[in-house]
Amino acid sequence: ASDYAECKDVGSILILQGRADEKRPYTKTIATQMWLLGYEFPNTLMFFTKEKIYILASQKKAKILQPLQSESDGVPIEILVHGKDGDKNKEIFNQLISVIKDSGSAVGVITGDATDGKLVDEWTAAYAPEKKDIAERNISRIISNVLAVKEDSEIKSERTAAEMCNAAMQDYFIDEMAKTFDEGKSISNEKIAEKVANALSNDKLSKRLFSKVPLLEMAEWAAHPSVQSGGKYDLSPNAESSSTPLHAGTVVCTLSMRYFMYSATISRTFMIDPTPEQEGNYGFLLDLHKKMLGWMQPGVTMGDVYAKAVESVRELRADLESHFAKSCGWVTGIEMNDGINELKAGNAETLKANMVVVLRLGLENMTNQKAGDKQSKNYSYQL
């Protein structure tokens, strides 16, 4: 398509995943595997041409995938085994390299997903000498946009994940936070976030909080809960809780959960004894959030949504423009944030029907001139 002119000469696609990495559980490569196969397959190479699909994996994984080879409909699939025999492995690698060369002038790859392991090392050694004759094209954007548009079953999982986030926030975090302040106890932001995280693994508590979830064993945290207070705030998607005490001023809590692989994120700001100015700032952000929901229609570019938001801030509250967050959210799915479809300045990606968007607004590094203590002087809002 003309939207992907940079990849018009791609004749095949190569997707290589090495060993599992707990620090990066949902890369674009893994998301693609899970979208296609329903599971993560470490140490697996998938190769697509217009005529055939090749999957190279260990003997155990190949056995699991073997039924795909006998499917009579669609593109033929060949399951190949990566074993201990180096010569046989090299023979398979050379076969795939020949197919790459015969399939067109360029091969599509996902860049940016660092991976390693025995299969990766062996493939790299075989592929490197031939690479000079093969053009590679980054298909990360194409993959993101394919995965961004959801089917009804995927949207249902997203909705369940969002409902779980809401239940954890409304029926657990808020209660724990209020109890901490009411009883005058001291707990760090980090520790109360840990309590929220543990709610999912606490059998009795999870059944109470998530009683409407059909298969609770399919739920997990997409990111560790984040709780921030006491004057230091980070509104980035992967912000971590600090070890400083939970402070009764401005508290920002962000929860991201996953159900059947699909992510949802919610973020709320809680104000304890706010000044009229703080209430006004929060009310403005809430009104803008409601307006933006109406702006997000199929065919609108993501950069235009953000530009319209900035224009609205500039027109109605120019004093807040410098505090307005540089992103208003992103499309979510198997990848919590694909890094492509984001509501930010200049992004030409287009909103489409059945995308699921995390609309996330923030005001950063504001000053409360009437603060009663040092920790309340600097504050941020996010919702």
Side-chain angles (χ1 to χ4, degrees), residues 170-369:
Q170 296 291 333
D171 300 329
Y172 190 67
F173 172 73
I174 292 177
D175 289 347
E176 289 295 312
M177 177 179 63
K179 186 168 67 175
T180 299
F181 294 150
D182 290 345
E183 296 177 1
K185 294 181 177 179
S186 178
I187 186 172
S188 69
N189 294 304
E190 196 173 48
K191 288 294 182 184
I192 196 168
E194 191 68 33
K195 290 183 75 171
V196 177
N198 291 338
L200 186 58
S201 56
N202 182 312
D203 192 51
K204 184 177 179 181
L205 183 55
S206 63
K207 285 180 178 178
R208 175 177 71 81
L209 292 173
F210 313 122
S211 59
K212 296 181 180 180
V213 178
L215 294 170
L216 195 51
E217 64 270 23
M218 299 308 297
E220 61 179 320
W221 290 104
H224 197 281
S226 170
V227 179
Q228 302 177 65
S229 67
K232 293 183 179 180
Y233 302 91
D234 177 1
L235 302 188
S236 63
N238 298 311
E240 297 182 356
S241 306
S242 70
S243 58
T244 55
L246 181 70
H247 179 261
T250 300
V251 181
V252 177
C253 178
T254 302
L255 305 179
S256 301
M257 300 193 79
R258 196 182 294 279
Y259 186 68
F260 273 98
M261 309 183 298
Y262 291 90
S263 308
T265 298
I266 68 171
S267 193
R268 299 288 182 269
T269 299
F270 304 93
M271 299 173 288
I272 294 85
D273 296 328
T275 66
E277 180 185 9
Q278 288 179 303
E279 289 181 329
N281 291 342
Y282 184 80
F284 171 75
L285 198 65
L286 188 60
D287 288 343
L288 180 58
H289 192 277
K290 292 175 182 176
K291 288 179 184 176
M292 290 184 70
L293 289 172
W295 301 342
M296 295 170 58
Q297 301 294 331
V300 178
T301 67
M302 299 179 191
D304 285 349
V305 173
Y306 181 79
K308 196 170 181 178
V310 172
E311 183 182 342
S312 187
V313 174
R314 186 179 298 133
E315 180 183 342
L316 300 173
R317 288 293 306 272
D319 57 310
L320 297 179
E321 184 179 353
S322 62
H323 301 283
F324 193 61
K326 303 303 181 187
S327 167
C328 285
W330 55 83
V331 171
T332 194
I334 299 176
E335 280 190 284
M336 192 176 82
N337 179 356
D338 65 22
I340 303 291
N341 293 294
E342 192 168 355
L343 302 174
K344 63 181 181 179
N347 191 357
E349 299 298 334
T350 303
L351 289 168
K352 298 179 179 65
N354 291 340
M355 284 181 167
V356 178
V357 179
V358 176
L359 182 58
R360 189 180 190 187
L361 275 63
L363 291 172
E364 302 178 278
N365 300 318
M366 295 185 292
T367 302
N368 177 11
Q369 300 293 355

Side-chain angles (χ1 to χ4, degrees), residues 32 64 82 364:
T32 305
I64 296 170
H82 177 251
E364 302 178 278

Side-chain angles (χ1 to χ4, degrees), residues 143-164:
I143 294 291
S144 290
N145 287 338
V146 169
L147 269 59
V149 178
K150 309 293 190 296
E151 296 180 354
D152 289 347
S153 60
E154 295 174 295
I155 292 174
K156 187 176 179 180
S157 293
E158 296 268 14
R159 185 174 289 115
T160 300
E163 289 169 350
M164 292 184 70

